[in-house]
C-alpha cells in the first residue's frame, strides 16, 4: 500500500485537530560498500524518492497517540511512564526507542498526535526502518523546539534500532536518510563520520531496483552473527597487531598470514570486508573519472564477495544478478542492503531498461513462480519539512 503526504494529512484531519507539521523521511539505496559500515569502513549511499510522511501536532487532550496508516492501528503512549519496547505492535518500537532516548537525554516532550504512512516497500532493503526512526526523531525535535543537530538525531535513530528493535545495524541507513542530497551520492567514512557529496552523473543510464519479494527467515539474527564474526576476526588479529581496533585497520596480507588461526567462516567474512573497503575507494575514483562502466564492474565484484565469502545473498538475488550480467544493457548489478532477500541495484542503459525489466520478470516467474517488483529510483533529499500548500520541502 502506498501513501502520499496528502493521505497522511487527510487522515490526521479526520482523527485530530490542529494544523500538523509534516515531515518526509526517505529510504535509501547504497551504490557500493555493503556491510562495511559496522566495520568502520566506507559506504556510498543516497536518499531516494520513496519515503515515509509524518503529520503531527500537539495533543489538545494531553494523550499522545500514533496512528499507522498502513494497518489502521493506533498506539497510545504515556510520556510520563518509563518507555520500554513492546511485543505488539512491532512497528511502534522504532518510534518508542526515539521517545526513550529523547526523554533519557533530559528533553521534555509535549503530548502529541501523529499519523504516518508512506511508499517505501517494507522488507525490501530500502531502509523503511531508518526512515521511520529518522523522520520521527526529526519530527519530535521540531515539534518540541529541541534544536538537536542532525548528527545527534542520526545516533538516536541508530540507538533505537539497536535497543528497541534488536538489530545491531551500522550507521549507513540513518545517515543517508537524514543527510541525503538530491542527485548526489554520499561517500561516508563510518569511522570519522566525515562525508562528501558527489553528483551521480548517469548520462543515459538509470538506476533500477529489482525486488525478489522474498525475505528469508532469521534475517536479523544472521545480520548480528556477521557482525560478531567480524569482531572475532579482529580479536584474532589483535594478538599480532595490537594497534588495530577494527577491520578498517586490516590489510589482506595480514589476513593471509594468519589464515590458519580463524575459526569457521571468520576468515572469509573478514576477507570480503577488507576487499570491499578498498573497492569503495576505487569505485569513488571511477565516479570522479566519469567511468561508470568501471564502477559497474565493481558492483558485480561486490556481489560475488557478498554471495561467496560473506554469504548474505540467496538463490533469488544470485539469479537476478546472473540475468543482469548476461544482459547487454546492464553495466553493474548486485544485491543491496543486509541481504537474504530484498532488492538488487542495477545500473542500466536507459533505453534498454524496458527490455531488461521484462526479461527479469519473465525469467524470475518461470524459475521461482514469483512476480518480482521493479522500482526505478532517483536520488532525493534527506529528511525535510514539507510545506502542505506548495508541497515543497524545506530543509
Ligand atoms: C543494513 C544495516 C546497515 C548496513 C547494511 C549492510 O541495511 O542497517 O547498517 O550494515 O545492512 O551494508
Amino acid at each position: 500500500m502506498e501513501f502520499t503526504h496528502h493521505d497522511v494529512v487527510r487522515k490526521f484531519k479526520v482523527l485530530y485537530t490542529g494544523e500538523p507539521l509534516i515531515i518526509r523521511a526517505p529510504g535509501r539505496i547504497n551504490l557500493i560498500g555493503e556491510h562495511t559500515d559496522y566495520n568502520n569502513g566506507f559506504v556510498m549511499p543516497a536518499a531516494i524518492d520513496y519515503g515515509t510522511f509524518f503529520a503531527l501536532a500537539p495533543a489538545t487532550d494531553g494523550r499522545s497517540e500514533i496512528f499507522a496508516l498502513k494497518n489502521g492501528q493506533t498506539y497510545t503512549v504515556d510520556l510520563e511512564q518509563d518507555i520500554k519496547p513492546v511485543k505488539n505492535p512491532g512497528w511502534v518500537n522504532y518510534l518508542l526507542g526515539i521517545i526513550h532516548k529523547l526523554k533519557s537525554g533530559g528533553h521534555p516532550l509535549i503530548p502529541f498526535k501523529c499519523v504516518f504512512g508512506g511508499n517505501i516497500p517494507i522488507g525490501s532493503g530500502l531502509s523503511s526502518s531508518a526512515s521511520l526512526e529518522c523522520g520521527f526523531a526529526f519530527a519530535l525535535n521540531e515539534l518540541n523546539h529541541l534544536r538537536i543537530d542532525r548528527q545527534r538525531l542520526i545516533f538516536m535513530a541508530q540507538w533505537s534500532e539497536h535497543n528497541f528493535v534488536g538489530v545491531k545495524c551500522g550507521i549507513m541507513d540513518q545517515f543517508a536518510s537524514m543527510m541525503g542530497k538530491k542527485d548526489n551520492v554520499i561517500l561516508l567514512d563510518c569511522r570519522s563520520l566525515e562525508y562528501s557529496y558527489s553528483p551521480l552523473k548517469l548520462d543515459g543510464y538509470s538506476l533500477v531496483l529489482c525486488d525478489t519479494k522474498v525475505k528469508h527467515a532469521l534475517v536479523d539474527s544472521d545480520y548480528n552473527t556477521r557482525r560478531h564474526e567480524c569482531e572475532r576476526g579482529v580479536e584474532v588479529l589483535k594478538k599480532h597487531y595490537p594497534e588495530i581496533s577494527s577491520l578498517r585497520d586490516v590489510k589482506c596480507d595480514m589476513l593471509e598470514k594468519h589464515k590458519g588461526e580463524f575459526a569457521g567462516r571468520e576468515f572469509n567474512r573478514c576477507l570480503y570486508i577488507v576487499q570491499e573497503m578498498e573497492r569503495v575507494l576505487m569505485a569513488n575514483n571511477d565516479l570522479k573519472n566519469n567511468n561508470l562502466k568501471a564502477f559497474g564492474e565493481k558492483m558485480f565484484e561486490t556481489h560475488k564477495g557478498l554471495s561467496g565469502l560473506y554469504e548474505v545473498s540467496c538463490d533469488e538475488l544470485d539469479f537476478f544478478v546472473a540475468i543482469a550480467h548476461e544482459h547487454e544493457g546492464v553495466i553493474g548489478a548486485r544485491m543491496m542492503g543486509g541481504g537474504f532477500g530484498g532488492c538488487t541495484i542495477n545500473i542500466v542503459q536507459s533505453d534498454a531498461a524496458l527490455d531488461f525489466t521484462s526479461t527479469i520478470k519473465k525469467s524470475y516467474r518461470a524459475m521461482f513462480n514469483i512476480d518480482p517488483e521493479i522500482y526505478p529510483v532517483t536520488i532525493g533529499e534527506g529528511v525535510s519539512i514539507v510545506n502542505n500548500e506548495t508541497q515543497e520541502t524545506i530543509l
Side-chain angles (χ1 to χ4, degrees), residues 28 30 33-38 127 169-173 223 337-338:
R28 65 100 189 89
N30 184 23
E34 215 63 271
H35 287 271
T36 43
D37 60 350
Y38 54 83
S127 287
C169 64
I171 201 73
M172 172 172 73
D173 303 351
Y223 182 90

Side-chain angles (χ1 to χ4, degrees), residues 28 30 32-39 43 125-127 129-130 158 161-162 167-174 223 227 272 276 306 310 312 334-339:
R28 65 100 189 89
N30 184 23
I32 197 155
E34 215 63 271
H35 287 271
T36 43
D37 60 350
Y38 54 83
N39 287 299
V43 290
L126 303 184
S127 287
S129 50
Q158 186 195 31
E161 180 107 15
H162 281 204
V167 180
K168 303 286 180 202
C169 64
I171 201 73
M172 172 172 73
D173 303 351
Q174 290 78 8
Y223 182 90
R227 191 173 179 139
Y272 161 75
E276 178 74 350
L306 286 166
Y310 215 62
V312 289
R334 62 176 197 83
M335 57 147 278
M336 190 181 72

Side-chain angles (χ1 to χ4, degrees), residues 29 31-32 43-47 175 179-188 195-202 207 280-290 292 295 379-380:
I29 49 171
L31 273 294
I32 197 155
V43 290
M44 198 186 281
F175 198 97
M179 304 297 290
K181 185 170 162 184
K182 192 164 172 42
D183 297 330
N184 280 256
V185 294
I186 310 171
L187 178 69
L188 170 65
Y195 63 98
S196 56
Y197 296 107
S198 320
L200 185 64
K201 297 191 205 102
L202 284 169
L207 293 173
V280 181
L281 296 179
M282 290 189 293
N284 189 46
N285 283 335
D286 294 338
L287 275 195
K288 281 195 186 135
N289 299 330
N290 283 325
L292 208 56
F295 187 96
I379 298 181

Side-chain angles (χ1 to χ4, degrees), residues 223-237:
Y223 182 90
N224 292 345
T225 307
R226 290 298 176 282
R227 191 173 179 139
H228 185 68
E229 285 168 328
C230 294
E231 286 161 3
R232 286 274 315 119
V234 172
E235 277 167 36
V236 169
L237 290 175

Side-chain angles (χ1 to χ4, degrees), residues 81-92:
Q81 297 293 312
D82 195 14
I83 307 286
K84 297 197 178 96
V86 296
K87 275 226 163 69
N88 261 309
W91 58 263
V92 85

